[in-house]
Amino acid sequence: MTDIETRTLEAPGATVTYDVRGDLSAATAEVPALLLIGSPMGADGFGTLASHFTDRPVVTYDPRGVSRSVRPDPGAPVRPEDHADDLHRVIDALGTGPVDIMASSGGAINALALVAEHPEQVRTLVAHEPPSGPALPDRDAALAAVQAVAETYRTQGFGAGMARFIALTSWEGPFPDDVTELPAPDPAAFGFPAEDDGKRDDPLLGQNLISCTHYEPAYDALTSASTRVVLAAGDESGQQMAARAARAIAKNLGSEAVAFPSGHGGFLGDEYGMPGDPAGFAAALRTVLDGDGPR
């Protein structure tokens, strides 16, 4: 089993914690260090996927406001640009030169923001299912659906908010114009409590939901970047929002999204009891990192 070295760094408004597997001095231009990132998913979600890349250093981290990366006001919103600056600082602290990144969900949004500002730090970015509402043809309805989730969380609490969030993320196809008028799902149907505990500090629903899903990629900066940007969508994700956004962003960058095994959490092992196909996902990721696929 590869040893894990845990490090921290100070960033404006947060202490960021990250883990290093393997010897950073072994990173090369041909086989750079690999960052595996999500948001709000932290380092704990990438243990299985990391185990498939013992031939290079692997770095995972907790985004600010998640788990070990603490900040004074855990309920305040965080912008993708803030997460991107944290990633910039982590890569700089590694001291290995440009890295490869596999970023999923909100992590993919943050990584796109990073490449737009610091392309020299990233050789290849695989952006897996970034849930960008503005990328979609039905952007107005999509953003309204997200706002309805946020408002449900604000007024009714975690259980009601998560139930509406799951309904949002599992919706197939474009959102109807009257999406906010659809009946709210029952939290109990998803195993969530109906009562409101009064807390509003959830990393997903409180600090990242709006800023993440409302982020529009800087297409001009990404197109001109030295970084090879590859969008990816799960082959079981169908026409769900994040997969549709991946395909739309790829089209706007003049390429096509690459199909990866399983769904939105296809890289997961047993970390959260919802395994995808981590071996297949790792194989697809290795193929892309080795240079097979669109720029």
Side-chain angles (χ1 to χ4, degrees):
M1 182 176 179
T2 303
D3 291 337
I4 300 175
E5 178 187 357
T6 297
R7 301 180 179 184
T8 62
L9 61 80
E10 296 300 318
T15 298
V16 178
T17 300
Y18 61 102
D19 299 317
V20 177
R21 293 169 170 82
D23 181 5
L24 288 173
S25 67
T28 66
E30 292 74 26
V31 186
L34 173 62
L35 271 66
L36 304 175
I37 64 173
S39 181
M41 181 178 287
D44 287 348
F46 293 97
T48 300
L49 184 59
S51 70
H52 289 273
F53 290 91
T54 57
D55 58 323
R56 63 168 76 192
V58 175
V59 179
T60 56
Y61 95 124
D62 293 334
R64 61 170 54 209
V66 174
S67 188
R68 303 165 298 170
S69 291
V70 297
R71 63 192 190 107
D73 185 1
V78 181
R79 304 174 306 154
E81 292 86 354
D82 299 323
H83 289 299
D85 185 65
D86 292 342
L87 291 166
H88 162 63
R89 292 169 186 273
V90 169
I91 295 168
D92 190 56
L94 296 177
T96 64
V99 301
D100 285 341
I101 300 179
M102 194 298 292
S104 188
S105 194
I109 292 286
N110 301 337
L112 289 168
L114 168 68
V115 169
E117 289 295 323
H118 300 285
E120 75 284 353
Q121 288 192 308
V122 186
R123 185 189 74 154
T124 297
L125 165 62
V126 178
H128 179 253
E129 300 203 359
S132 170
L136 300 173
D138 52 317
R139 59 177 291 161
D140 291 343
L143 295 178
V146 175
Q147 289 283 2
V149 174
E151 181 64 12
T152 299
Y153 174 63
R154 186 186 71 81
T155 59
Q156 301 178 45
F158 175 78
M162 278 302 300
R164 193 144 201 164
F165 174 77
I166 291 175
L168 165 78
T169 57
S170 59
W171 186 275
E172 289 283 341
F175 293 101
D177 291 339
D178 63 349
V179 62
T180 60
E181 301 172 19
L182 298 177
D186 180 6
F190 299 100
F192 295 118
E195 64 274 9
D196 183 356
D197 62 7
K199 296 180 180 179
R200 296 296 185 270
D201 57 358
D202 183 71
L204 169 61
L205 300 176
Q207 74 177 32
N208 288 296
L209 178 66
I210 295 297
S211 57
C212 172
T213 57
H214 285 52
Y215 179 80
E216 185 162 19
Y219 293 112
D220 288 345
L222 294 172
T223 301
S224 62
S226 56
T227 304
R228 178 170 167 254
V229 178
V230 178
L231 278 295
D235 59 15
E236 296 178 7
S237 294
Q239 295 299 312
Q240 294 170 1
M241 177 181 172
R244 290 197 297 125
R247 300 183 192 110
I249 293 170
K251 183 178 180 180
N252 288 337
L253 294 177
S255 64
E256 294 184 1
V258 176
F260 268 48
S262 192
H264 193 64
F267 56 87
L268 289 170
D270 291 324
E271 285 86 354
Y272 303 117
M274 299 180 292
D277 180 6
F281 193 101
L285 176 58
R286 189 177 294 278
T287 296
V288 172
L289 295 179
D290 287 346
D292 187 8
R295 179 191 182 280

